[in-house]
Amino acid sequence: QRPEGLDVHARIALDLGERGWSLCEDFLPPLLVSQLLSEARELWQGGGFRPAGVGRGQKFEVRPEVRNDWVRWLDARACSGAQQLYLNALEALRLALNRQLYLGLFEYEGHLAVYRPGSYYRKHLDRFEGSGLRTLSCILYLNSGWHYADGGQLRIYTDPDNPERYREVLPFGGRLVCFYSDRFLHQVMPARRSRFSITGWFKQRT
Ligand code: OGA
Ligand code: MN
């Protein structure tokens, strides 16, 4: 039995240690989540997103048959106050995980993402060759009033030996889901409403 009253970071660390992924409700206060959502909507309406791609650098390609969401990378030097608060919360998480799990996470990169109605991201792994190894994937969902019928679940394949076994996470605002980037195939099921999130990765040095 896990002790009651563990703080958020300790709970996430315990989940990661036990099964490699974690789901945390209300990682941020609801007001901050709704601020992040309205800023994301405004950036979207202002044309501030680009079609997402796969691969990095020379290998970057837009492949709408694989994923057809739109993204806008976060820039820590030019972000909003609300985005900065999220980055601060992630920094505190990074330090706690390094202390408890010796992960040696050193840097974060992340983007806003929007899945328009009908959009998806097919089954994939997040790790690829590049500047630093993506080690821990962290996704914060921003929508309020999301229902099962709105689709857009994140499906995490929890057993590498059995593709029938998966958990589905609905993108409820304030939820943070984390998992080891090299261990879990996952996919985003088609959304039926615009689905907003901030997706990012903590990296280890290569
Ligand atoms: C990704 C991804 C999952 C989600 O951007 O790599 O898998 O739930 N996102 O948005
Ligand atoms: Mn992914």
Side-chain angles (χ1 to χ4, degrees):
Q1 272 323 92
R2 63 181 46 197
E4 291 300 312
L6 278 183
D7 76 9
V8 169
H9 297 156
R11 270 198 330 263
I12 293 174
L14 212 53
D15 286 341
L16 290 174
E18 283 172 358
R19 59 181 194 185
W21 66 280
S22 178
L23 173 61
C24 171
E25 309 289 348
D26 297 314
F27 182 72
L28 295 182
L31 262 176
L32 181 51
V33 176
S34 62
Q35 178 67 23
L36 289 166
L37 175 64
S38 50
E39 290 176 5
R41 279 193 201 286
E42 251 176 58
L43 289 165
W44 166 254
Q45 279 154 10
F49 283 62
R50 296 284 166 268
V54 296
R56 176 190 294 274
Q58 299 284 311
K59 292 190 182 148
F60 179 87
E61 282 182 285
V62 175
R63 305 240 332 252
E65 74 285 11
V66 176
R67 68 184 297 188
N68 54 6
D69 56 322
W70 294 65
V71 301
R72 177 193 176 92
W73 287 92
L74 293 177
D75 177 353
R77 291 153 307 177
C79 65
S80 71
Q83 291 171 349
Q84 189 59 56
L85 289 174
Y86 179 49
L87 294 178
N88 295 350
L90 286 178
E91 176 62 7
L93 176 62
R94 182 182 76 84
L95 295 174
L97 295 179
N98 281 348
R99 268 194 309 270
Q100 293 183 53
L101 300 170
Y102 309 103
L103 289 178
L105 306 174
F106 83 104
E107 196 185 42
Y108 173 83
E109 62 180 5
H111 57 59
L112 292 161
V114 59
Y115 288 73
R116 319 266 332 282
S119 296
Y120 51 78
Y121 192 161
R122 305 288 186 218
K123 208 168 174 180
H124 66 282
L125 275 182
D126 281 348
R127 173 163 291 190
F128 50 55
E129 317 288 303
S131 53
L133 281 183
R134 287 180 171 183
T135 300
L136 189 71
S137 304
C138 297
I139 305 146
L140 176 75
Y141 298 109
L142 303 180
N143 286 88
S144 62
W146 195 271
H147 294 103
Y148 184 78
D150 297 324
Q153 311 92 307
L154 169 65
R155 184 180 280 187
I156 306 175
Y157 293 87
T158 49
D159 180 351
D161 300 317
N162 184 353
E164 311 275 288
R165 293 197 59 154
Y166 53 77
R167 280 285 303 270
E168 287 195 335
V169 176
L170 282 161
F172 295 154
R175 277 188 160 173
L176 181 81
V177 60
C178 310
F179 52 89
Y180 287 121
S181 307
D182 60 342
R183 268 181 54 186
F184 297 96
L185 283 162
H186 57 282
Q187 75 188 107
V188 179
M189 307 308 286
R192 295 189 192 92
R193 279 168 60 193
S194 289
R195 172 197 195 267
F196 286 90
S197 58
I198 303 179
T199 299
W201 301 269
F202 288 113
K203 301 193 287 184
Q204 290 172 335
R205 287 202 172 75
T206 40

